[in-house]
């Protein structure tokens, strides 16, 4: 109950705080630069120059506090030892270069980057095209989009049950092992099989992100002019030719935005690995590796060094995503 009232009070304070800031800042600005008298024109011009910064100011302040400062602080910590008592320079980064678990994390992240965005975008594109052609397409879209409403932790728990193992002869509560035993096979501890276990974890994120890709790409497909499609059909193009040679090229910008957005999510993947394997059996990824050193080993220096590497990997993709999004708007 206390959490409920805390949430309500936070919403109320936030809404009324925004209204109060909007009204109060305008009131003060109009008193400083009144729109009357002999200097009315000059005052209006000056007020119009200041007014945007009054509204951007709080956002810039909070972004600086919650984004810029943590980056600077993390970089500074990465140049110090575990408890921050002494400056070690690039020693933490040198350690990263020679650490086997870090290399394993990098390899696994690269695999995730190759597999998850490609499959999620492909399945989302196919789902968008197929559901638009079915009478019950909206129901299908709802079912495909539903995993987006589940947290990564919740999805990890669900899929951990799907991969659950019981010894041979016992009742299999895991769906995958139940299917295997129905065909006469032996149950497997799926999440401990080297190589395959990483792909089994990737399936969870593909399952979640396909709905996101479907919604965005469905909107893009509906935005294609009907005249273009009709002209292609009149010229004798088959449904596959219309899809791959007419529709896909026209939404390539949207596909790129979806791809890069999912790529950023993949680079930061943590919850699924943490819940399902905790980085064991060769499934370690960068975010989980950072957590292990920061909060399990209590080594702020090495944990921050991993965080900086992760940020450097995410930044170019994020910039590319913003560039594509702005180009799409134009």
């Amino acid at each position: 109950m206390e959490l409920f009232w805390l949430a309500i009070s936070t919403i109320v304070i936030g809404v009324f705080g925004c209204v109060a800031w909007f009204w109060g800042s305008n009131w003060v600005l109009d008193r400083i630069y009144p729109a009357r008298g002999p200097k009315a024109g000059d005052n209006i011009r000056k007020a119009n120059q200041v007014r945007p910064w009054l509204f951007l100011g709080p956002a810039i302040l909070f972004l600086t506090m919650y984004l810029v400062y943590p980056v600077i602080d993390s970089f500074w910590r990465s140049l110090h030892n575990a408890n921050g008592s002494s400056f070690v320079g690039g020693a933490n980064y040198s350690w990263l270069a020679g650490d086997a678990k870090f290399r394993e994390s990098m390899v696994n992240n690269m695999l995730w980057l190759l597999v998850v965005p490609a499959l999620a975008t492909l399945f989302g594109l196919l789902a968008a095209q197929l559901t638009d052609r079915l009478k019950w397409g909206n129901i299908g879209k709802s079912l495909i989009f539903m995993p987006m409403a589940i947290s990564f932790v919740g999805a990890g728990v669900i899929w951990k049950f799907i991969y659950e193992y019981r010894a041979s002869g016992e009742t299999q509560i895991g769906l995958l092992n139940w299917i295997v035993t129905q065909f006469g096979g032996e149950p497997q501890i799926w999440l401990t099989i080297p190589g395959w276990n990483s792909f089994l974890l990737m399936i969870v994120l593909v399952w979640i992100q396909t709905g996101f890709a479907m919604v965005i790409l469905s909107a893009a497909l509906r935005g294609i002019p009907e005249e273009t499609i009709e002209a292609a059909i009149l010229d004798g193009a088959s449904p596959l030719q219309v899809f791959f040679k007419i529709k896909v090229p026209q939404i390539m910008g949207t596909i790129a935005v979806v791809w890069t957005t999912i790529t950023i999510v993949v680079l930061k993947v943590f919850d699924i690995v943490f819940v399902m394997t905790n980085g064991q059996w060769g499934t370690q990824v960068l975010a989980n590796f950072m957590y292990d050193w920061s909060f399990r080993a209590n080594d702020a220096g090495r944990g921050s060094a991993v965080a900086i590497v992760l940020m450097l990997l995410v930044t170019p993709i994020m910039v590319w995503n913003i560039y594509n999004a702005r180009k799409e708007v134009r």
Side-chain angles (χ1 to χ4, degrees):
M1 198 64 180
E2 291 181 2
L3 289 175
F4 171 78
W5 287 112
L6 179 62
I8 293 295
S9 61
T10 302
I11 293 171
V12 170
I13 292 170
V15 171
F16 280 98
C18 290
V19 172
W21 175 260
F22 177 83
W23 181 84
S25 60
N26 272 300
W27 184 84
V28 171
L29 190 64
D30 290 339
R31 295 299 178 277
I32 297 174
Y33 297 112
R36 58 186 179 275
K39 296 183 178 180
D42 190 46
N43 285 345
I44 292 172
R45 180 182 58 81
K46 290 179 179 178
N48 288 337
Q49 290 176 340
V50 174
R51 203 179 308 276
W53 293 103
L54 287 175
F55 305 141
L56 287 173
I60 293 172
L61 175 64
F62 286 120
L63 283 172
T64 302
M65 287 173 57
Y66 292 105
L67 290 179
V68 178
Y69 170 73
V71 170
I72 297 171
D73 183 63
S74 295
F75 178 70
W76 183 246
R77 286 173 182 270
S78 73
L79 302 178
H80 289 74
N81 64 351
N83 58 13
S85 59
S86 61
F87 184 82
V88 296
N92 289 322
Y93 294 97
S94 299
W95 163 78
L96 277 182
D99 186 74
K101 271 293 181 181
F102 175 73
R103 290 196 296 271
E104 176 190 305
S105 303
M106 290 291 289
V107 170
N108 284 333
N109 268 94
M110 291 304 109
L111 282 174
W112 281 73
L113 286 175
L114 289 172
V115 174
V116 175
L119 290 183
T121 305
L122 175 63
F123 292 153
L125 181 59
L126 292 175
Q129 174 65 14
L130 294 173
T131 52
D132 281 341
R133 299 172 65 90
L134 298 172
K135 290 183 179 179
W136 48 273
N138 288 334
I139 298 175
K141 284 182 179 179
S142 299
L143 293 174
I144 295 169
F145 187 75
M146 199 175 293
M148 282 290 295
I150 303 172
S151 69
F152 283 11
V153 172
V157 172
I158 291 169
W159 280 84
K160 196 169 184 180
F161 277 114
I162 292 175
Y163 299 142
E164 186 65 38
Y165 166 80
R166 290 290 185 272
S168 183
E170 295 183 15
T171 302
Q172 298 297 325
I173 66 170
L175 177 62
L176 190 54
N177 273 322
W178 180 83
I179 293 172
V180 168
T181 54
Q182 292 304 303
F183 285 95
E186 288 294 318
Q188 303 290 324
I189 310 177
W190 298 103
L191 295 178
T192 65
I193 302 174
W196 287 104
N197 50 9
S198 288
F199 290 102
L200 293 174
L201 297 181
M202 294 175 202
I203 290 172
V204 182
L205 192 53
V206 172
W207 178 66
I208 294 172
Q209 292 297 315
T210 295
F212 161 76
M214 177 198 65
V215 170
I216 304 300
L217 295 173
S218 178
L221 287 171
R222 291 187 176 186
I224 297 174
E226 287 292 331
E227 296 81 3
T228 308
I229 299 170
E230 290 172 1
I233 294 172
L234 290 173
D235 288 340
S238 66
L240 284 177
Q241 288 175 323
V242 170
F243 180 68
F244 287 107
K245 294 187 177 181
I246 304 298
K247 291 184 175 182
V248 171
Q250 292 195 60
I251 63 168
M252 194 55 71
T254 306
I255 291 174
V257 170
V258 170
W259 189 298
T260 51
T261 302
I262 297 174
T263 297
I264 292 172
V265 174
V266 169
L267 275 171
K268 299 185 294 182
V269 68
F270 164 75
D271 317 61
I272 294 170
V273 176
F274 179 78
V275 169
M276 298 184 73
T277 64
N278 196 24
Q280 299 178 84
W281 310 298
T283 61
Q284 187 67 284
V285 291
L286 285 172
N288 197 71
F289 187 58
M290 175 190 69
Y291 176 84
D292 284 346
W293 277 103
S294 298
F295 300 105
R296 287 202 172 107
N298 291 319
D299 192 326
R302 291 183 175 183
S304 297
V306 181
I308 293 298
V309 170
L310 188 57
M311 186 201 70
L312 292 175
L313 291 173
V314 170
T315 300
I317 301 170
M318 185 175 64
V319 170
W320 173 251
N321 196 21
I322 294 170
Y323 169 77
N324 276 292
R326 293 183 66 181
K327 187 169 70 173
E328 193 76 11
V329 170
R330 291 198 297 267

